[in-house]
Amino acid sequence: MPYRAPVADIRFLLDHVAGFPELAATARFAEATPDLTAAILDGAGRLCEEVMAPLQRVGDLHPARLENGIVRTPPGFAEGWRAIAQGGWIGLAAPTRHGGMGLPQTLAMAVTEMMSGACLALQIAPLLTQGQIEALSHHASDALKALYLPKLISGEWSGTMNLTEPQAGSDVGAVRTVAVPKGDGTYAITGQKIFISWADSEFIGNVVHLVLARLPDAPPGTRGISLFLVPRNIPDASGDPGARNSLRVVSLEHKLGLHGSPTAMMDYDGATGWLVGEPHRGMAAMFTMMNNARLGVGMQGIGVAEAAFQQALAYARERRQGATPQGGAIIGHADIRRMLAAMRAEIFAARAIALSCAVAIDMADATEQADWAARAAFLTPIAKAHGTDTGVEVASAGVQVHGGMGFVEQTGAAQYLRDVRVTPIYEGTNGIQALDLVGRKLADGGEAAWRLLEEIEQGAEAARALLPEPAGDVWAAAETLRETTEWMLTQDQTDRFAGAVPFLRAWARVLGGHVHLAAARAEGGAGPRTALARVFVARLLPEHVALLAQARAGAAGLYALSDDDLAA
Ligand SMILES: Cc1cc2nc3c(=O)[nH]c(=O)nc-3n(C[C@H](O)[C@H](O)[C@H](O)COP(=O)(O)OP(=O)(O)OC[C@H]3O[C@@H](n4cnc5c(N)ncnc54)[C@H](O)[C@@H]3O)c2cc1C
């Protein structure tokens, strides 16, 4: 079943649930008219269906490989990248003064979702380049911006993100790569990085690495890390790729999935780099890139979920097995219908949460109001973790719907599961996202959380006349969530951390109920979106009760089992 870009669902959510009309009414984003938004989504949808989706299986069957020091990508990926670049898709939300379109991140995120559903392994390349554009726009010197941004935005060059080292994964503060001033304003970068996505390719004019490293006088930990721009080829006087820099791809990883995307070990051997932002303030600069990428990775999960769902639905409509109440194909079996309905309801909720997060990011930009920034910050770890968990769960359910044909490779159902499995791991594991939620994101005393809970309860009140039962359930769920959020604020760090993941998941459940209710209201309380909302509220929302019980269970019980007890 060929991938179909979910343009209609995205449009509906933007217009009726995520608050896009309010965003388009700001002076900053006045250009994002309904006509332009429709043209952008339709155009991106076509590119995804016609150019990117045919590359999905190719990437799996012809993995990226290293050949005499050159990274060779799967057949068709070069043309795919060029189509993305020439369509202007990389610079959709990039600054206009450097050649971007200056449109809302929300639209760029919607496009990210569709591209990920079409071909995740290729989509990572523009995602990282966009993150780099964002980081350079905010933190680089004017000279670096003028030289690099136009080429990154046009897709002539691509960008990477180099944080991870063998001893520095989640603990980025353990980075050992060093940067020594050369006395001419540049730095010599030496060290080893691992797991670097799209570190090189045979078809890109130049690859620009953003590298975390330590200056000689750096204090230990994250407060001593600086950010450097290190190009594969040092630009010459006219800005074209010049002499080769002292860096190389040592090897490519063999992975569970995502075979089309090269994941490299990199060696920097006194490579020339330029400081981005202030010395020792590299994490702050990198966070600009990571926040963008976190939401983008959430979108990746949702995109793959959508593609896996479409394929499972098509299979369920064709496959005949056993007698169903309606006769016909397996879609008539209650259990298959349960899975398909839950998959669709879950995708709808995750997409709405992620788009609401994107709108909050844009509103913060457009209005410079702290409330919007706090809302965006609170929703980002939820959108990342829940979007990617949804990717894995829906792709796994997709395999289940296929039965044995899901476990063999020719249907492609298994590839979705293998490919998406990394999304809860990279860009900060989902465990780390949850720690961020119960740590930094509640550090303001829960201001953003209380505002969201108020909004959920107001939404439920407004829906009560039209949809009394689901509205009552969502309202009650918000109250239960409020109690546990209050509890979280009074606990010590170990107990908060022990409950962080179920707490984040419970938030996603309750927000899911809220966005489904809003969609059902927009439809007048009758129709397919209302039926889907009822499925979510009846079958998925109740999970918040068990999740919140886990969230409040504390750490003592976990540590009562010693390391040896676990091994016994
Ligand atoms: C395909 C792929 C592509 C990647 N692309 C890039 C890239 O382009 N650039 C880049 O820099 N990196 C990249 N990465 C690296 C990725 O970001 C890391 O794998 C990730 O941050 C986790 O680090 P780790 O693998 O060292 O795991 P670890 O940090 O060792 O984590 C192991 C487990 O311990 C948990 N854990 C760790 N610390 C804590 C804590 N404090 N509290 C609670 N639990 C904790 C984690 O959640 C995880 O479950 C990529 C990885 C993969 C697999």
Side-chain angles (χ1 to χ4, degrees), residues 77 172 185 189 231 246 259 283 300 329 397 419 454 456 461 514 538 551:
F77 271 40
V172 183
I189 314 291
S246 312
H259 295 148
M283 280 311 291
Q300 289 185 335
D419 284 357
E454 242 161 67
I456 295 168
E461 286 302 345
H514 170 60

Side-chain angles (χ1 to χ4, degrees), residues 92-328:
L92 206 62
T96 46
R97 66 186 169 285
H98 295 293
M101 291 172 72
L103 288 167
Q105 284 287 352
T106 307
L107 290 181
M109 289 295 163
V111 173
T112 292
E113 190 222 288
M114 294 192 281
M115 288 188 175
S116 307
C119 183
L120 183 63
L122 176 57
Q123 186 280 331
I124 297 172
L127 182 71
L128 286 166
T129 305
Q130 286 168 333
Q132 184 170 116
I133 290 166
E134 179 91 354
L136 294 181
S137 304
H138 283 93
H139 302 286
S141 67
D142 287 345
L144 288 180
K145 281 186 206 170
L147 179 54
Y148 286 91
L149 283 178
K151 292 200 159 57
L152 290 165
I153 288 170
S154 68
E156 200 178 325
W157 297 356
S158 68
T160 75
M161 169 152 145
N162 284 236
L163 289 83
T164 310
E165 297 178 11
Q167 77 296 341
S170 302
D171 182 11
V172 183
V175 157
R176 285 194 200 133
T177 296
V178 290
V180 179
K182 298 213 285 189
D184 60 356
T186 68
Y187 296 80
I189 314 291
T190 302
Q192 195 182 64
K193 295 283 178 182
I194 59 167
F195 294 156
I196 306 308
S197 296
W198 280 94
D200 204 355
S201 74
E202 79 282 27
F203 61 78
I204 285 179
N206 201 357
V207 182
V208 184
H209 302 287
L210 272 187
V211 182
L212 287 183
R214 292 183 176 286
L215 290 164
D217 59 344
T222 43
R223 279 177 304 133
I225 294 178
S226 306
L227 184 62
F228 298 88
L229 180 154
V230 190
R232 180 190 70 194
N233 291 81
I234 298 172
D236 62 19
S238 44
D240 295 322
R244 192 95 203 177
N245 211 341
S246 312
L247 58 92
R248 70 188 175 102
V249 171
V250 178
S251 59
L252 296 186
E253 303 296 344
H254 295 280
K255 312 192 291 286
L256 174 68
L258 219 54
H259 295 148
S261 164
T263 307
M265 179 189 283
M266 298 285 296
D267 182 54
Y268 292 85
D269 183 15
T272 302
W274 284 260
L275 182 68
V276 174
E278 302 287 314
H280 313 315
R281 301 268 306 136
M283 280 311 291
M286 195 55 128
F287 258 113
T288 309
M289 181 164 180
M290 279 160 59
N291 274 334
N292 178 308
R294 275 179 189 195
L295 181 55
V297 171
M299 290 295 181
Q300 289 185 335
I302 297 161
V304 176
E306 171 70 38
F309 166 70
Q310 289 184 14
Q311 166 141 351
L313 177 62
Y315 186 80
R317 296 177 96 156
E318 292 293 322
R319 170 75 175 159
R320 294 177 168 271
Q321 198 67 197
T324 76
Q326 302 165 328

Side-chain angles (χ1 to χ4, degrees), residues 181-523:
K182 298 213 285 189
D184 60 356
T186 68
Y187 296 80
I189 314 291
T190 302
Q192 195 182 64
K193 295 283 178 182
I194 59 167
F195 294 156
I196 306 308
S197 296
W198 280 94
D200 204 355
S201 74
E202 79 282 27
F203 61 78
I204 285 179
N206 201 357
V207 182
V208 184
H209 302 287
L210 272 187
V211 182
L212 287 183
R214 292 183 176 286
L215 290 164
D217 59 344
T222 43
R223 279 177 304 133
I225 294 178
S226 306
L227 184 62
F228 298 88
L229 180 154
V230 190
R232 180 190 70 194
N233 291 81
I234 298 172
D236 62 19
S238 44
D240 295 322
R244 192 95 203 177
N245 211 341
S246 312
L247 58 92
R248 70 188 175 102
V249 171
V250 178
S251 59
L252 296 186
E253 303 296 344
H254 295 280
K255 312 192 291 286
L256 174 68
L258 219 54
H259 295 148
S261 164
T263 307
M265 179 189 283
M266 298 285 296
D267 182 54
Y268 292 85
D269 183 15
T272 302
W274 284 260
L275 182 68
V276 174
E278 302 287 314
H280 313 315
R281 301 268 306 136
M283 280 311 291
M286 195 55 128
F287 258 113
T288 309
M289 181 164 180
M290 279 160 59
N291 274 334
N292 178 308
R294 275 179 189 195
L295 181 55
V297 171
M299 290 295 181
Q300 289 185 335
I302 297 161
V304 176
E306 171 70 38
F309 166 70
Q310 289 184 14
Q311 166 141 351
L313 177 62
Y315 186 80
R317 296 177 96 156
E318 292 293 322
R319 170 75 175 159
R320 294 177 168 271
Q321 198 67 197
T324 76
Q326 302 165 328
I330 58 170
I331 192 169
H333 290 301
D335 187 54
I336 295 288
R337 198 166 283 260
R338 172 190 67 79
M339 286 191 273
L340 291 171
M343 290 159 85
R344 179 135 171 75
E346 196 74 291
I347 293 165
F348 193 84
R351 181 181 285 137
I353 293 168
L355 290 175
S356 302
C357 178
V359 166
I361 291 171
D362 284 326
M363 286 300 285
D365 180 12
T367 65
E368 295 182 359
Q369 284 174 13
D371 283 4
W372 282 111
R375 181 186 172 99
F378 189 83
L379 286 175
T380 297
I382 300 176
K384 192 277 176 181
H386 180 58
T388 56
D389 282 346
T390 296
V392 173
E393 275 160 31
V394 169
S396 181
V399 169
Q400 194 69 19
V401 167
H402 282 76
M405 289 306 283
F407 196 70
V408 297
E409 290 288 354
Q410 68 252 38
T411 56
Q415 186 192 340
Y416 288 125
L417 181 57
R418 289 187 289 101
D419 284 357
V420 81
R421 188 59 189 86
V422 72
T423 60
I425 295 172
Y426 62 24
E427 224 29 71
T429 65
N430 285 0
I432 299 291
Q433 304 298 326
L435 301 193
D436 180 41
L437 185 71
V438 301
R440 285 195 316 141
K441 301 301 163 62
L442 287 182
D444 62 355
E447 279 305 313
W450 307 138
R451 270 193 296 274
L452 275 164
L453 285 167
E454 242 161 67
E455 192 181 311
I456 295 168
E457 291 184 353
Q458 281 167 7
E461 286 302 345
R464 221 180 257 282
L466 197 62
L467 298 152
E469 210 178 314
D473 289 350
V474 172
W475 192 91
E479 273 305 293
T480 317
L481 180 58
R482 183 189 294 278
E483 283 162 20
T484 301
T485 306
E486 280 165 0
W487 178 90
M488 270 287 167
L489 284 169
T490 59
Q491 301 309 301
D492 68 23
Q493 182 168 292
T494 322
D495 285 333
R496 281 156 88 130
F497 281 7
V501 165
F503 181 69
L504 183 150
R505 289 181 177 165
W507 261 95
R509 282 282 165 264
V510 178
L511 284 166
H514 170 60
V515 293
H516 268 291
L517 210 50
R521 272 178 66 210
E523 197 183 45

